[in-house]
Amino acid sequence: MPVFVLRGAHRAADGQIGPPLFEEAITADNPADAVRLANAQDLSTKDERANALWLVDAQGVLHWSLRRADRD
């Protein structure tokens, strides 16, 4: 089963995204399921400084991204 990686980082006011503050592996059958699982994550247990989230596959292809403010 493919492994995707959910990452979170701090996005500054000027739009610059810093290095990942956390990375979490998500195993899913396909990208759509991985995105669904990423959206279901409880962010309260993650690093509070992370206000930018994104999901990539094993090749580094971006499948989903979100500004945390859009979700909260």
Side-chain angles (χ1 to χ4, degrees):
M1 194 174 292
V3 175
F4 298 82
V5 179
L6 173 64
R7 294 185 176 130
H10 177 74
R11 180 180 183 267
D14 66 0
Q16 292 290 327
I17 296 177
L21 298 169
F22 69 83
E23 295 186 350
E24 183 171 323
I26 295 177
T27 303
D29 288 325
N30 54 59
D33 284 346
V35 169
R36 183 182 51 75
L37 291 169
N39 271 308
Q41 291 287 319
D42 178 7
L43 296 179
S44 64
T45 61
K46 310 282 188 249
D47 193 314
E48 289 293 320
R49 297 171 297 165
N51 60 2
L53 307 169
W54 66 99
L55 183 75
V56 297
D57 64 20
Q59 290 74 40
V61 175
L62 178 68
H63 289 276
W64 174 82
S65 66
L66 179 75
R67 289 183 318 134
R68 192 171 188 163
D70 293 339
R71 184 172 178 191
D72 292 342

